[in-house]
């Protein structure tokens, strides 16, 4: 039996260059004003949905309605993210950090809420208090963070749409390989897409992303590209996990681009080098 090879869990660090480059819009007070205005205008429409979801969670499973978790925000500050609970409440039980549709115990309405992204609705209040933005890199758990965010994390961004079906795809990966797959393939791909978007985001491109998110106009071309490139192995997702193959990571993600139909209004200025 050949000796086990050591996974390179630090591979995502290959993609941390230019993380401080933000477009003028991404770091402007106008973006913050836009976020608050949109949330306040949307609240009368969202509150009935909010109450209906809260009642569904309460009536179909025991435990709190909201799921609270520490996430990393702007400039390394932690904050508590709000979500509707979608999993069975089990005190003291440690869940896997990488969620798939097969490795968690979901509530009767949990899968539906996650599929339609309704569990994210409470994060509108995170936006109001200034922890988050409507559009920005998704906030990660501390164990997934490899760099400092210089803008508020967001409810949605390019990677959110490109990897909207991530949990279903990752369910095809063996439990033994799941962490390696996520840290050396999915996470760096998300980071590259979001980093490039935030470096050239505009008011109009944010509007486009919000429209695509609300109307569930997912674009799976990036995920399909990874599948077709052979980087994602459903039986053995270890291609990028070993020291002898770590150099392949740069080549694998160098071709990833923001799907043009997602952000047709994006600015071409200040494009970060790949």
């Amino acid at each position: 039996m050949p000796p086990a090879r050591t996974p390179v869990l630090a591979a995502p660090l290959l993609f941390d260059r230019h993380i401080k480059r933000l477009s003028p819009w991404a770091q402007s007070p106008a973006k913050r004003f836009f976020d608050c205005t949109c949330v306040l205008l949307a609240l009368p429409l969202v509150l009935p949905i909010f109450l209906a979801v809260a009642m569904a969670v309460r009536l179909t499973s025991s435990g709190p309605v909201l799921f609270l978790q520490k996430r990393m925000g702007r400039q390394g500050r932690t904050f508590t993210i709000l979500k509707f609970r979608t999993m069975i409440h089990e005190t003291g039980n440690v869940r896997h950090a990488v969620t798939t549709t097969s490795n968690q115990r979901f509530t009767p309405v949990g899968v539906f809420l996650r599929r339609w992204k309704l569990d994210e609705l409470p994060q509108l209040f995170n936006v109001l208090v200034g922890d988050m933005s409507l559009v920005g890199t998704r906030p990660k758990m501390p164990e997934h963070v490899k760099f400092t965010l210089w803008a508020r994390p967001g409810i949605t961004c390019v990677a959110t749409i490109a990897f909207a079906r991530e949990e279903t795809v990752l369910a095809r990966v063996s439990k033994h390989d799941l962490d390696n797959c996520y840290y050396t393939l999915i996470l760096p791909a998300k980071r590259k897409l979001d980093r490039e978007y935030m470096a050239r985001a505009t008011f109009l491109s944010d509007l486009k992303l919000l429209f695509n998110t609300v109307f569930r106009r997912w674009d799976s071309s990036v995920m399909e590209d990874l599948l077709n490139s052979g980087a994602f192995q459903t039986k053995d997702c270890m291609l990028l996990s070993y020291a002898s193959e770590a150099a392949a990571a740069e080549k694998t993600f160098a071709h990833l681009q923001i799907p043009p139909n997602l952000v047709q209004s994006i600015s071409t200025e200040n494009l970060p080098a790949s």
Side-chain angles (χ1 to χ4, degrees):
M1 181 176 178
R5 292 179 288 181
T6 303
V8 182
L9 294 181
L13 291 174
L14 292 170
F15 305 96
D16 283 345
R17 296 172 299 175
H18 307 287
I19 56 177
K20 292 183 68 171
R21 297 192 65 175
L22 299 172
S23 72
W25 165 253
Q27 52 190 332
S28 69
K31 179 176 172 67
R32 174 66 184 153
F33 177 79
F34 169 75
D35 287 340
C36 293
T37 301
C38 286
V39 172
L40 291 174
L41 291 176
L43 278 180
L45 298 175
V46 172
L47 279 178
I49 302 175
F50 192 99
L51 294 174
V53 172
M55 185 174 296
V57 173
R58 171 61 71 185
L59 295 178
T60 58
S61 63
S62 60
V65 170
L66 293 178
F67 171 72
L68 310 179
Q69 190 177 62
K70 291 294 181 182
R71 297 290 178 98
M72 296 298 291
R74 185 173 58 168
Q75 299 179 359
R77 300 188 185 98
T78 59
F79 70 97
T80 302
I81 197 171
L82 306 177
K83 291 187 176 187
F84 283 120
R85 182 173 54 83
T86 59
M87 300 179 192
I88 301 297
H89 181 63
E90 297 174 319
T91 304
N93 186 42
V94 179
R95 295 188 174 93
H96 201 291
V98 181
T99 300
T100 74
T101 55
S102 62
N103 71 352
Q104 306 288 356
R105 295 181 61 195
F106 293 101
T107 65
V109 297
V111 174
F112 174 83
L113 295 181
R114 294 176 79 92
R115 181 180 298 129
W116 288 85
K117 308 300 181 184
L118 294 175
D119 59 318
E120 312 283 0
L121 279 180
Q123 288 161 45
L124 293 176
F125 295 101
N126 284 124
V127 174
L128 276 182
V129 300
D131 292 329
M132 297 178 65
S133 176
L134 290 176
V135 177
T137 302
R138 285 294 295 167
K140 303 295 190 296
M141 292 187 292
E143 57 266 35
H144 290 171
V145 171
K146 301 294 182 182
F147 63 94
T148 300
L149 285 176
W150 296 98
R152 289 182 177 87
I155 295 178
T156 188
C157 203
V158 170
T160 307
I161 295 176
F163 289 86
R165 299 181 178 90
E166 169 192 319
E167 292 179 359
T168 301
V169 175
L170 288 180
R172 295 152 53 188
V173 179
S174 69
K175 294 179 180 179
H176 175 72
D177 298 334
L178 184 58
D179 283 345
N180 282 311
C181 181
Y182 185 80
Y183 283 104
T184 63
L185 181 65
I186 302 298
L187 191 59
K190 286 181 174 182
R191 186 174 301 149
K192 184 176 190 296
L193 291 175
D194 282 347
R195 187 191 68 213
E196 291 191 357
Y197 176 80
M198 294 303 293
R200 46 182 176 151
T202 67
F203 168 71
L204 292 178
S205 68
D206 273 12
L207 278 180
K208 179 73 173 180
L209 275 179
L210 289 172
F211 177 86
N212 288 336
T213 300
V214 171
F215 291 98
R216 300 183 76 248
R217 296 182 60 180
W218 311 139
D219 187 314
S220 300
S221 60
V222 172
M223 180 73 82
E224 294 299 327
D225 194 21
L226 288 175
L227 286 166
N228 294 333
S229 71
F232 191 97
Q233 303 295 318
T234 57
K235 292 184 179 180
D236 182 21
C237 185
M238 303 294 285
L239 178 62
L240 301 180
S241 303
Y242 306 116
S244 61
E245 295 158 337
E250 286 278 5
K251 181 179 179 181
T252 300
F253 296 103
H255 68 286
L256 290 184
Q257 300 294 331
I258 298 172
N261 60 304
L262 294 183
V263 284
Q264 294 172 348
S265 303
I266 197 168
S267 168
T268 57
E269 298 178 357
N270 299 322
L271 178 64
S274 297

